[in-house]
């Protein structure tokens, strides 16, 4: 993702939610400080997992597990958004890639993400203004990961586009040239969510639509 192309979209999102860019940048700086040679996954490794392969990008809508029961998961590289990864671990299917901000998950779900990382998942840990406490608590428990931000990227903190964990899964797939992208666990019109989540789903739908998916 070219940040010059992403930045105007990012500014619209900040304005819509009343979020603070400085908070995003502070969290990204903290996440950067946690990176070492040993715990950093290279982009070439991530590219090798995704490039020219069919991807199943999974959000964490309530109907996810029912959808997955109808899909031949062996036919796809799985990129799972935070809580969706717990569904796969419960099914004894380790996602190849996980996108997570560690925010909004139960302790149990985060433990499953850590276990998935130990079992081979490439985890993209996302820093933003509201999850600094989770980064401080959990980041160093992940064996190897890639750091991401929704603000301007720097050093080894990357911005592949996307805002929430679900749509970031799709942006990651597109960025690393997946052969195809299929969605599961996305309910953009879920009537049971709170107003903030409803707004996030609206943005997810718009952002994914921008990618032509």
């Amino acid at each position: 993702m070219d940040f010059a192309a992403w930045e105007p979209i990012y500014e619209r999102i900040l304005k819509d939610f009343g979020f603070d860019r400085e908070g995003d940048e502070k969290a990204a700086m903290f996440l950067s400080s946690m990176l070492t040679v040993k715990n950093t996954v290279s982009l070439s490794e991530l590219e090798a997992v995704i490039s020219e392969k069919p991807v199943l990008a999974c959000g964490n809508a309530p109907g996810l597990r029912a959808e997955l029961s109808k899909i031949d998961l062996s036919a796809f590289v799985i990129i799972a958004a935070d809580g969706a990864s717990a569904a796969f671990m419960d099914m004894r299917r380790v996602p190849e890639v996980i996108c997570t901000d560690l925010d909004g998950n139960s302790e149990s779900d985060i433990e499953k993400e850590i276990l998935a990382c130990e079992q081979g998942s490439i985890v993209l840990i996302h820093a933003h203004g509201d999850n600094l406490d989770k980064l401080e608590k959990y980041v160093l428990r992940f064996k190897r990961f890639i750091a991401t931000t929704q603000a301007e990227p720097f050093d080894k903190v990357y911005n592949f586009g996307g805002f929430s964990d679900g749509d970031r899964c799709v942006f990651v797939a597109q960025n690393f040239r997946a052969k195809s992208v299929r969605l599961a666990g996305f309910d953009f019109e879920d009537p049971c969510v709170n107003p903030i989540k409803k707004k996030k789903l609206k943005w997810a739908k718009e952002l994914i639509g921008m990618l032509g998916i």
Side-chain angles (χ1 to χ4, degrees):
M1 167 61 68
D2 176 8
F3 185 71
W6 169 253
E7 189 172 23
I9 302 168
Y10 173 49
E11 292 290 350
R12 284 175 54 210
I13 292 170
L14 290 174
K15 183 177 180 180
D16 193 23
F17 284 89
F19 289 160
D20 177 18
R21 180 168 179 164
E22 184 178 349
D24 288 343
E25 293 169 344
K26 179 181 177 181
M29 287 293 294
F30 174 79
L31 186 55
S32 174
S33 74
M34 307 300 280
L35 294 170
T36 69
V37 173
K38 290 184 178 180
N39 71 11
T40 304
V41 177
S42 70
L43 297 191
S44 60
E45 186 174 340
L46 180 59
E47 182 175 23
V49 169
I50 296 172
S51 180
E52 299 303 320
K53 299 179 180 71
V55 163
L56 185 66
C58 298
N60 194 34
L64 172 64
R65 292 173 191 252
E67 283 189 67
L68 295 180
S69 69
K70 302 173 184 177
I71 299 172
D72 177 8
L73 301 180
S74 66
F76 296 93
V77 169
I78 305 298
I79 305 182
D82 57 10
S85 61
F88 283 98
M89 295 303 287
D90 290 344
M91 298 166 61
R92 301 186 184 280
R93 170 65 160 88
V94 179
E96 282 79 10
V97 181
I98 297 172
C99 294
T100 181
D101 61 5
L102 305 173
D103 193 12
N105 292 4
S106 67
E107 296 280 340
S108 174
D109 284 355
I110 294 174
E111 292 296 335
K112 289 173 183 176
E113 291 178 357
I114 293 169
L115 178 60
C117 184
E118 292 172 352
Q119 295 183 1
S121 290
I122 296 176
V123 180
L124 281 68
I125 298 180
H126 189 73
H128 60 69
D130 292 331
N131 73 340
L132 189 56
D133 58 333
K134 294 291 183 72
L135 297 176
E136 291 173 341
K137 184 173 181 179
Y138 290 110
V139 163
L140 290 182
R141 293 189 59 199
F142 285 85
K143 184 178 179 181
R144 297 173 69 235
F145 63 93
I146 292 172
T148 66
T149 179
Q150 56 207 28
E152 186 168 5
F154 61 97
D155 297 335
K156 291 190 175 181
V157 182
Y158 302 99
N159 185 336
F160 303 120
F163 173 56
S164 61
D165 290 321
D167 51 85
R168 279 201 307 277
C169 291
V170 184
F171 274 81
V172 168
Q174 289 282 88
N175 192 88
F176 290 95
R177 300 187 301 279
K179 181 178 181 180
S180 61
V181 182
R182 176 174 174 178
L183 304 183
F186 286 85
D187 183 357
F188 300 117
E189 313 300 331
D190 187 346
C192 299
V193 298
N194 63 44
I196 293 294
K197 180 64 174 178
K198 185 172 290 189
K199 190 180 288 188
K200 288 182 177 180
L201 289 173
K202 180 181 177 182
W203 271 104
K205 183 177 182 179
E206 178 177 341
L207 293 172
I208 291 172
M210 288 169 54
L211 299 178
I213 295 173

